[in-house]
Amino acid sequence: MRTNKTSGWAIVLIAIGALMLLGVFAPLFGKLIGLIFPILMIVLGYYGIRRGKVVIGTIILAFGVMGLLAKLSWIIGPLLGIALVVFGIMLLKGKKSSKWM
């Protein structure tokens, strides 16, 4: 077997593919690919808008944003709840301080 630049990458890709088939990296790669695909759609949509293909770029960008929001909904919900609590406390403090002045 002759070795060149691509032989090293081929061996690495074969090893990663075999480990994925065995299920070793499946949870990690599943989550990574699940986040990378919507981000890639956002980037491609933005690139399409910049190149003048506004309609298709906007559609791809919108699908990417929706996909990313769906993937990150597990963190967006609690963060929104915390933000609402903090905002409510700030409103209560604002009413008390304006009442005394």
Side-chain angles (χ1 to χ4, degrees), residues 75-95:
I75 190 79
I76 292 172
L79 287 177
L80 182 62
I82 291 169
L84 289 173
V85 168
V86 169
F87 184 67
I89 291 171
M90 286 174 43
L91 284 177
L92 285 175
K93 285 185 178 182
K95 283 186 179 181

Side-chain angles (χ1 to χ4, degrees), residues 2-23:
R2 293 179 12 197
T3 59
N4 55 18
K5 286 183 177 180
T6 59
S7 295
W9 283 109
I11 292 171
V12 169
L13 292 175
I14 290 170
I16 290 174
L19 289 174
M20 285 176 68
L21 286 174
L22 293 173

